[in-house]
Amino acid sequence: MKSVLLIGVGSFGTRIATELMELGHEVMAIDINEERINNILTSVTNACIGDSTNAAFLKTLGIRNYDVCIVTIGNDFQSSLETTSLLKELGAKLVVSRAERDIQEKFLLRNGADEVIFPEKQLARWAAIRYSSEHILEYTELNEDQAIFEVTVPNEWVGKSIGQIDIRKKYNINIIAVKVNGKIDVKVTPDTVLNADKTLLVLGEYKTIQRCFRI
């Protein structure tokens, strides 16, 4: 269990808070808007109305006691930037800040953010990749070059074993698991036979996965 300070409880911040609570973490929610705090009060460990650009207010929260501080202010970049900077100055262990444009990421990283998230950009990329091919069911980006895809078995592979298709040698792509009826089986061998009711979890460079599955 981690202790999380969440600053900004608009729609995105509220969703993060909900997910964190469901995972069993403690969440302290902060927002300058009283209505937003009232709406989320019963859904988090604690909540407080306050101005996160006010250093004196932030000091009262005991910033060093939180495992991670997440800044999800989305409609006021200046406030987000000031909040990020103050959190780091006050000894925050890990500061994760929201950005909407690439230039914002640069400023946030220069002013105290350890990591930056792009909710709209990341969702747009996921949707574009997810729906650009009939084969793709899920997609998780590991870095700029590599990703894990859940893909359907191409028709030409049905009835063949993993050893026969040999995509590791041809494309340098690893089949790390197969999925049947929602259950993941990581015991994949060259003798594993593929059929239409299975999906594959494959790991590799995005460009090679594109070529292999004609994305």
Side-chain angles (χ1 to χ4, degrees):
M1 181 179 69
K2 288 192 174 184
S3 177
V4 181
L5 176 64
L6 180 69
I7 299 177
V9 287
S11 57
F12 179 58
T14 297
R15 188 61 186 173
I16 290 180
T18 301
E19 295 291 340
L20 286 168
M21 291 296 292
E22 289 181 357
L23 290 170
H25 302 295
E26 293 182 348
V27 179
M28 173 65 166
I30 304 295
D31 200 289
I32 199 170
N33 185 294
E34 182 178 1
E35 182 179 359
R36 288 179 175 177
I37 291 298
N38 289 335
N39 289 338
I40 203 172
L41 189 58
T42 59
S43 303
V44 294
T45 311
N46 205 347
C48 181
I49 303 167
D51 181 1
S52 61
T53 65
N54 185 312
F57 168 68
L58 287 182
K59 286 180 181 179
T60 67
L61 301 175
I63 300 303
R64 294 177 184 270
N65 296 322
Y66 293 96
D67 296 303
V68 57
C69 298
I70 305 177
V71 183
T72 62
I73 301 170
N75 58 356
D76 185 347
F77 181 66
Q78 184 61 37
S79 292
S80 177
L81 189 62
E82 291 180 21
T83 299
T84 298
S85 180
L86 284 172
L87 287 170
K88 186 56 67 173
E89 289 177 12
L90 293 172
K93 298 174 185 176
L94 175 63
V95 180
V96 180
S97 298
R98 173 184 180 176
E100 296 180 349
R101 299 192 302 273
D102 291 343
I103 189 64
Q104 292 180 349
E105 178 186 26
K106 294 179 181 179
F107 280 112
L108 288 167
L109 290 172
R110 289 175 184 172
N111 286 273
D114 296 294
E115 296 183 23
V116 174
I117 52 177
F118 289 84
E120 290 85 0
K121 180 179 179 180
Q122 289 163 344
L123 179 58
R125 179 172 173 80
W126 179 90
I129 291 173
R130 164 66 178 85
Y131 296 108
S132 63
S133 170
E134 295 178 357
H135 291 301
I136 300 173
L137 300 178
E138 188 57 88
Y139 161 77
T140 301
E141 191 172 273
L142 301 180
N143 54 42
E144 292 183 358
D145 299 319
Q146 293 190 319
I148 296 174
F149 283 79
E150 180 183 353
V151 296
T152 59
V153 177
N155 291 333
E156 59 268 29
W157 293 4
V158 173
K160 295 181 180 179
S161 69
I162 289 177
Q164 286 177 303
I165 61 174
D166 199 15
I167 66 169
R168 185 173 184 177
K169 182 178 181 180
K170 293 178 180 176
Y171 296 98
N172 196 28
I173 295 172
N174 292 304
I175 298 177
I176 58 176
V178 295
K179 192 173 179 180
V180 184
N181 297 324
K183 295 183 179 180
I184 295 177
D185 182 4
V186 296
K187 296 179 181 179
V188 179
T189 71
D191 295 325
T192 300
V193 177
L194 304 178
N195 49 54
D197 67 346
K198 293 179 180 178
T199 60
L200 309 176
L201 297 181
V202 298
L203 167 65
E205 291 188 357
Y206 178 61
K207 291 181 179 179
T208 58
I209 292 176
Q210 275 185 308
R211 291 197 299 271
C212 181
F213 293 96
R214 302 182 182 89
I215 299 170

